Amino acid sequence: MTSSDAVAPFLKDPYILDLFAGPGGLDVAAQMLGAKSLGIEWSKDACETRYRAGLETWHADVSAVRRDRFHELPSELNVLAGGPPCQTYSVAGNGLGRKALDKVEKILHALMERVSDEEIDKRLEELGDDRRTALVLEPIRYAIKALSCPKRDERPFDVIVLEQVPQVKALWGVYKDALAAGLPGKGEARVKYEVAEVATLHTEAYGVPQTRRRTILIARLAKHGAPRLPLPTHHIYNPHKPERGGPGDKKAMAQAGQTVLSVDGGQAQVRPWVTMGEVLDRKAPFQVRSNYGSGGDPKKRGIRTDLQPSFTVTGKVSRNAVQHANGTPHTPDRLTIPEAGILQTFPPNYPWWGGDRSQQVGNAVPPLFGMHVLAAALSLPLPPEEKLRESWPETDEAVRSRLRKEGCGVPDKCGPDCPKPEDQSSPPASSDSSRPRTIASAKRSAK
């Protein structure tokens, strides 16, 4: 059973450019599907994880690559993907992006009218000090840049895949309209895309043992035909009726395999959502008490049991306490980094490395969700999801040196095109992340 009703690939050799690539969620998904990928990532820590995972990576500023090095990118890249930093747009973040959304939309329209890069940059500077708000426009700037790159023969990307928090749905709608109307090509020409309905999807509906919502945009060059969103394979978790749709729900179990309608009208067969207990190697019963978003008030801390999906895995996942059913600490009493990765559907031995690994895990696209989205975008059949639970091969030092040389310019350190060391830490998950971290929290993050 697959989440995509299309299994006729239209690209012979998909090669994905993954902007804001993080530790590799979308790249792991691509590898599972047999597609190549190149990630561009700002954080040195995330790059080190990627090098150890054997993922092709440029340690660079996405904006700087577009501006100064776009012509150095492999000309074979034909799929553009990206999940721009979401902190300023998310409910958990400081809200600057949401406040600036109207201004960002106006700048996007200016891009469509062939306003110069210099003028666009000037307008973006007026948004304020948080550069991440402006980064949400980088994917469309890359798509436009491809149309004027001689090395690519001014060839457009065949497919564009974007994901973000639900608060950016309105902007993705503007993206959709712009892509459908056509990007500014050579002369007065417009390069048009067919775009699927912009929708907010629940990751647990695709087998991820975690409740998380992401808004997805999938576009194809018009000659490739209209794409569709991935069809769900599992029930959606309802926190108000937590007994519904899970493996303990007799009705859901009886209905497993029956046809339901997806968000864009397609049909799918769904199973019960996946629980934490099914994927974590812990003695049941156990429960996870969240400290995220509680403001330190114990009365506001939610609880999920091993019979439910996890809370959304964020950069603060190490704050969540793991307990026995009676409230006493479990062993260990915090989710480890490998466990947090498993809840994100990374392989159990994925080689997390560098500093602030909690943030790396929390920032990542769940690979299983990424597999469904990419499979739908590229009309590829899905491999068994169990493949993500298999051992992931860690590279040796020779391979890491080669990848580092390709990504940083030198085999053993950052090169001249890498972001400055003081700027390379993972971005904070919310406005209160600027508080000094305690030694204990730093140790938990590195586990």
Side-chain angles (χ1 to χ4, degrees):
M1 178 172 60
T2 72
S3 73
S4 174
D5 55 355
V7 289
F10 53 90
L11 294 181
K12 182 179 179 182
D13 297 302
Y15 192 178
I16 301 166
L17 176 60
D18 184 10
L19 307 179
F20 317 101
L26 204 62
D27 304 81
V28 170
Q31 190 158 319
M32 291 290 107
L33 294 170
K36 291 178 62 179
S37 67
L38 166 64
I40 302 177
E41 173 52 37
W42 171 275
S43 165
K44 179 181 179 181
D45 294 330
C47 285
E48 282 301 319
T49 294
R50 294 175 60 87
Y51 295 149
R52 279 169 167 74
L55 302 176
E56 188 178 355
T57 307
W58 278 20
H59 180 200
D61 179 344
V62 165
S63 300
V65 170
R66 171 187 50 77
R67 185 176 58 249
D68 304 323
R69 301 174 60 198
F70 191 93
H71 62 284
E72 297 177 18
L73 291 168
S75 59
E76 301 83 6
L77 288 162
N78 50 17
V79 179
L80 178 66
C86 66
Q87 287 82 3
T88 65
Y89 290 93
S90 71
V91 172
N94 57 26
L96 291 176
R98 297 194 301 280
K99 295 174 184 176
L101 197 55
D102 289 343
K103 295 179 181 178
V104 172
E105 290 182 11
K106 290 178 181 178
I107 295 173
L108 192 153
H109 286 302
L111 281 166
M112 296 301 102
E113 298 304 318
R114 305 174 190 268
V115 172
S116 69
D117 276 349
E118 293 76 16
E119 176 61 25
I120 294 296
D121 289 338
K122 180 180 178 181
R123 296 186 190 184
L124 288 172
E125 288 176 1
E126 297 173 358
L127 294 178
D129 294 333
D130 198 326
R131 65 185 298 275
R132 290 173 296 173
T133 299
L135 291 175
V136 76
L137 289 177
E138 282 298 338
I140 205 158
R141 298 186 79 176
Y142 266 72
I144 293 172
K145 186 84 170 184
L147 303 179
S148 61
C149 180
K151 182 181 176 182
R152 293 179 56 87
D153 296 325
E154 301 173 346
R155 178 172 50 83
F157 288 101
D158 291 89
V159 178
I160 298 173
V161 179
L162 304 177
E163 61 89 26
Q164 250 281 10
V165 293
Q167 288 72 26
V168 184
K169 186 175 182 179
L171 183 60
W172 274 184
V174 178
Y175 257 79
K176 176 182 178 180
D177 293 343
L179 290 167
L183 301 181
K186 200 170 188 178
E188 296 301 315
R190 292 276 171 174
V191 177
K192 296 185 178 182
Y193 286 79
E194 295 275 354
V195 190
E197 176 188 352
V198 174
T200 299
L201 306 181
H202 296 251
T203 60
E204 74 272 18
Y206 299 91
V208 179
Q210 171 200 171
T211 54
R212 188 185 194 103
R213 295 189 304 149
R214 306 301 287 181
T215 298
I216 302 300
L217 180 149
I218 299 175
R220 295 177 184 168
L221 281 177
K223 68 179 182 180
H224 297 310
R228 294 187 65 171
L229 294 169
L231 299 178
T233 54
H234 295 71
H235 284 283
I236 292 174
Y237 176 76
N238 183 346
H240 303 293
K241 297 179 179 180
E243 70 283 355
R244 300 278 183 89
D249 181 354
K250 293 181 180 180
K251 185 177 181 180
M253 292 295 287
Q255 291 177 339
Q258 293 185 11
T259 299
V260 299
L261 293 178
S262 69
V263 290
D264 65 349
Q267 295 186 338
Q269 296 178 343
V270 296
R271 293 170 280 171
W273 35 255
V274 180
T275 71
M276 288 189 284
E278 291 178 70
V279 298
L280 296 184
D281 187 17
R282 282 181 179 259
K283 186 176 181 180
F286 65 85
Q287 63 186 27
V288 176
R289 181 183 291 272
S290 173
N291 192 33
Y292 183 69
S294 67
D297 183 353
K299 295 180 182 179
K300 296 181 180 179
R301 294 172 186 169
I303 292 177
R304 295 275 178 93
T305 74
D306 59 286
L307 299 178
Q308 297 170 307
S310 163
F311 294 105
T312 300
V313 175
T314 72
K316 297 181 179 179
V317 65
S318 59
R319 292 186 180 186
N320 295 346
V322 186
Q323 305 171 335
H324 293 284
N326 62 6
T328 59
H330 213 270
T331 303
D333 66 349
R334 292 289 189 273
L335 289 171
T336 66
I337 293 303
E339 285 179 324
I342 289 169
L343 294 176
Q344 282 274 59
T345 65
F346 280 89
N349 67 328
Y350 196 71
W352 303 101
W353 201 259
D356 211 349
R357 299 175 202 179
S358 290
Q359 196 69 53
Q360 290 188 50
V361 178
N363 285 349
V365 176
L368 180 54
F369 182 63
M371 280 171 53
H372 283 269
V373 172
L374 289 177
L378 300 172
S379 294
L380 294 174
L382 275 168
E385 60 189 53
E386 289 75 16
K387 283 183 67 66
L388 286 170
R389 298 173 189 167
E390 296 176 359
S391 178
W392 186 268
E394 183 174 353
T395 59
D396 58 28
E397 185 52 44
V399 173
R400 292 197 289 271
S401 295
R402 176 181 61 79
L403 290 170
R404 206 176 287 116
K405 184 175 182 179
E406 294 171 356
C408 294
V410 289
D412 55 354
K413 59 182 179 181
C414 289
D417 291 323
C418 295
K420 295 179 181 179
E422 61 268 24
D423 295 330
Q424 291 178 16
S425 61
S426 299
S430 68
S431 56
D432 69 357
S433 293
S434 58
R435 299 173 185 171
R437 297 170 65 213
T438 65
I439 294 175
S441 68
K443 287 182 177 179
R444 285 198 299 270
S445 180
K447 286 183 180 180

